[in-house]
Amino acid sequence: MKSASVGTRFSPLTRFIAAVLMWLPLTFALWYFAAPILLWPAAALIDVITRAGFSDLVRAVEQTSTAVTFTTTLKPGQAVARGIVTVDVNMLLYSFGLPLFAALTLAAREHKWSRTLMIGYAVLIPAIAWGVIADFLKNIAITGPVQVVSQTGFSSWQRETIAFAFQFGSLILPAVAPAIVWVLMHRSFLERMRRTS
Amino acid sequence: MIRFFVAFMALLALLFGLELTPWLQRWFVEPWTAALAHVSALLVTGFDPGVTAIGKVLRSTTNDFAVSIEAGCNGVEATIVLIAAMFAFPSSWRHKMLGLAAGIVAVQGLNIIRVISLFYLGQWNRDVFEWAHLYVWQALIMLDVLVVWLIWVRTLPRRGGDEPPQLPPSSTAPITA
């Protein structure tokens, strides 16, 4: 009886927010410790995309724990004749949306929630890949040393596009993507919540 | 729903692109960020007089620790997401404006708490600061935006009397604004 009265005292939205806040520490901990495994598909997708789209710039892509190392074909400069440029990108910076999506999904606790978690995870992988690749391109095409930037051969508008892709992929996409995916996958939950307002 | 999603993404990209223009950076984003630092300093000096704001930097005069409020931490992007979500959702202009006014206060209010909390977390432990800065607060601010949007959607007037307005349809049926 007591739990029932507690359950009806607060609105469904309030209970949902409380549930999200309770799930977040757990999902963040799981994400952090399982990240090397969870982010393996993202690293694999990054490898495929860079080999297909930037094969002249990227020689190899390697995942080490939560970082991706891009081994490029670029040389550090004339002073270092035999060296090559490598760029490390921390995938955690672009994947904190995974625990947010998981907390939202677990708090909503809809039918087939585990399937929703899997689909959401799969959908968010390309968003993570976007951020990591844009970060890499920004490093070699914009913020790198002049000797490195000049070897990439990117035109002015291409560098502008990379800058926008990086800003969008770091400031907007990692946080917005999980919210969008969650809303799209929880329409009936949202409808029910509105009806009980 | 597809129509809402497309409108939301288009507005998001447009507003974010505008935010990145040098003109808006100079005349809106930079003054806004500096104002955020000053408001944060003003609030903090109520219990910690050794804090000052210089431009977008919040600094402790006691130990010289300082945080610079950069893009992504000034709440502008979160506000842009909220604006895009409210404008893409079918509702009257009056409700959009009222929702935005209340929503911006809610988002920026939590963002001030973020800035102040990071300022003290950074003085306490650098690892915890990095974690909170790079991951936790980013998620919490987006959760705030989502909750504000959900509350706003719930408060929209019901269509044709008693029925609550439906979420945007999955089909390509026109959306009434």
mmCIF file of all heavy atoms in Angstrom, chain A residues 13 42 57 62 73 83 94 111 137 140 155 168 190:
data_model
loop_
_atom_site.group_PDB
_atom_site.id
_atom_site.type_symbol
_atom_site.label_atom_id
_atom_site.label_comp_id
_atom_site.label_asym_id
_atom_site.label_seq_id
_atom_site.Cartn_x
_atom_site.Cartn_y
_atom_site.Cartn_z
ATOM 1 N N LEU A 13 6.079 11.783 -15.204
ATOM 2 C CA LEU A 13 7.307 12.453 -15.656
ATOM 3 C C LEU A 13 8.305 12.578 -14.513
ATOM 4 O O LEU A 13 9.504 12.324 -14.685
ATOM 5 C CB LEU A 13 6.973 13.840 -16.236
ATOM 6 C CG LEU A 13 8.163 14.614 -16.805
ATOM 7 C CD1 LEU A 13 8.833 13.860 -17.939
ATOM 8 C CD2 LEU A 13 7.717 15.994 -17.298
ATOM 9 N N ALA A 42 32.572 0.762 -33.178
ATOM 10 C CA ALA A 42 32.826 2.127 -33.672
ATOM 11 C C ALA A 42 34.209 2.202 -34.309
ATOM 12 O O ALA A 42 34.378 2.779 -35.394
ATOM 13 C CB ALA A 42 32.707 3.133 -32.525
ATOM 14 N N LEU A 57 45.411 9.190 -47.161
ATOM 15 C CA LEU A 57 45.917 9.846 -45.943
ATOM 16 C C LEU A 57 46.152 8.869 -44.789
ATOM 17 O O LEU A 57 46.992 9.109 -43.927
ATOM 18 C CB LEU A 57 44.922 10.925 -45.474
ATOM 19 C CG LEU A 57 44.728 12.129 -46.398
ATOM 20 C CD1 LEU A 57 43.578 12.986 -45.896
ATOM 21 C CD2 LEU A 57 46.003 12.953 -46.464
ATOM 22 N N GLU A 62 44.001 1.781 -35.541
ATOM 23 C CA GLU A 62 44.164 0.772 -34.493
ATOM 24 C C GLU A 62 43.505 1.238 -33.206
ATOM 25 O O GLU A 62 43.673 2.390 -32.801
ATOM 26 C CB GLU A 62 45.666 0.545 -34.247
ATOM 27 C CG GLU A 62 45.961 -0.658 -33.391
ATOM 28 C CD GLU A 62 47.470 -0.831 -33.162
ATOM 29 O OE1 GLU A 62 48.254 -0.123 -33.828
ATOM 30 O OE2 GLU A 62 47.830 -1.645 -32.330
ATOM 31 N N THR A 73 49.810 8.700 -43.759
ATOM 32 C CA THR A 73 50.879 8.655 -44.764
ATOM 33 C C THR A 73 51.661 9.980 -44.749
ATOM 34 O O THR A 73 52.554 10.179 -45.574
ATOM 35 C CB THR A 73 50.278 8.454 -46.162
ATOM 36 O OG1 THR A 73 49.327 9.506 -46.399
ATOM 37 C CG2 THR A 73 49.560 7.116 -46.278
ATOM 38 N N GLY A 83 60.044 9.725 -40.327
ATOM 39 C CA GLY A 83 58.888 9.653 -39.430
ATOM 40 C C GLY A 83 57.562 9.738 -40.164
ATOM 41 O O GLY A 83 57.495 10.156 -41.317
ATOM 42 N N TYR A 94 33.235 11.090 -27.502
ATOM 43 C CA TYR A 94 32.132 11.095 -28.472
ATOM 44 C C TYR A 94 31.099 10.012 -28.180
ATOM 45 O O TYR A 94 30.187 9.823 -28.985
ATOM 46 C CB TYR A 94 32.699 10.932 -29.891
ATOM 47 C CG TYR A 94 33.717 12.012 -30.189
ATOM 48 C CD1 TYR A 94 35.081 11.768 -30.086
ATOM 49 C CD2 TYR A 94 33.296 13.299 -30.500
ATOM 50 C CE1 TYR A 94 36.005 12.775 -30.311
ATOM 51 C CE2 TYR A 94 34.218 14.311 -30.729
ATOM 52 C CZ TYR A 94 35.562 14.038 -30.625
ATOM 53 O OH TYR A 94 36.474 15.045 -30.836
ATOM 54 N N HIS A 111 8.178 -2.255 -23.128
ATOM 55 C CA HIS A 111 8.198 -3.631 -23.618
ATOM 56 C C HIS A 111 9.399 -3.805 -24.567
ATOM 57 O O HIS A 111 9.676 -2.925 -25.371
ATOM 58 C CB HIS A 111 6.877 -3.883 -24.364
ATOM 59 C CG HIS A 111 6.727 -5.272 -24.868
ATOM 60 N ND1 HIS A 111 6.827 -6.383 -24.057
ATOM 61 C CD2 HIS A 111 6.492 -5.743 -26.116
ATOM 62 C CE1 HIS A 111 6.659 -7.462 -24.781
ATOM 63 N NE2 HIS A 111 6.457 -7.105 -26.032
ATOM 64 N N LEU A 137 40.427 14.420 -38.717
ATOM 65 C CA LEU A 137 40.605 15.302 -39.876
ATOM 66 C C LEU A 137 40.949 16.727 -39.437
ATOM 67 O O LEU A 137 41.781 17.396 -40.057
ATOM 68 C CB LEU A 137 39.336 15.301 -40.743
ATOM 69 C CG LEU A 137 39.049 13.995 -41.488
ATOM 70 C CD1 LEU A 137 37.693 14.046 -42.177
ATOM 71 C CD2 LEU A 137 40.144 13.708 -42.519
ATOM 72 N N ILE A 140 44.679 16.910 -38.643
ATOM 73 C CA ILE A 140 45.656 16.928 -39.740
ATOM 74 C C ILE A 140 45.420 18.078 -40.725
ATOM 75 O O ILE A 140 46.344 18.497 -41.412
ATOM 76 C CB ILE A 140 45.697 15.586 -40.521
ATOM 77 C CG1 ILE A 140 44.335 15.271 -41.160
ATOM 78 C CG2 ILE A 140 46.175 14.453 -39.635
ATOM 79 C CD1 ILE A 140 44.404 14.191 -42.210
ATOM 80 N N SER A 155 41.289 21.702 -49.790
ATOM 81 C CA SER A 155 41.052 23.082 -50.213
ATOM 82 C C SER A 155 40.429 23.865 -49.055
ATOM 83 O O SER A 155 40.091 23.294 -48.003
ATOM 84 C CB SER A 155 40.112 23.098 -51.419
ATOM 85 O OG SER A 155 38.865 22.555 -51.044
ATOM 86 N N PHE A 168 30.164 20.213 -35.016
ATOM 87 C CA PHE A 168 28.872 19.543 -34.895
ATOM 88 C C PHE A 168 29.037 18.176 -34.226
ATOM 89 O O PHE A 168 28.227 17.787 -33.387
ATOM 90 C CB PHE A 168 28.241 19.380 -36.287
ATOM 91 C CG PHE A 168 26.781 19.036 -36.247
ATOM 92 C CD1 PHE A 168 25.830 20.017 -36.009
ATOM 93 C CD2 PHE A 168 26.354 17.728 -36.442
ATOM 94 C CE1 PHE A 168 24.480 19.701 -35.965
ATOM 95 C CE2 PHE A 168 25.003 17.405 -36.400
ATOM 96 C CZ PHE A 168 24.071 18.397 -36.162
ATOM 97 N N LEU A 190 5.854 8.154 -24.621
ATOM 98 C CA LEU A 190 5.642 9.598 -24.524
ATOM 99 C C LEU A 190 4.154 9.942 -24.629
ATOM 100 O O LEU A 190 3.658 10.816 -23.904
ATOM 101 C CB LEU A 190 6.440 10.327 -25.616
ATOM 102 C CG LEU A 190 7.963 10.210 -25.484
ATOM 103 C CD1 LEU A 190 8.664 10.773 -26.722
ATOM 104 C CD2 LEU A 190 8.450 10.931 -24.242
#
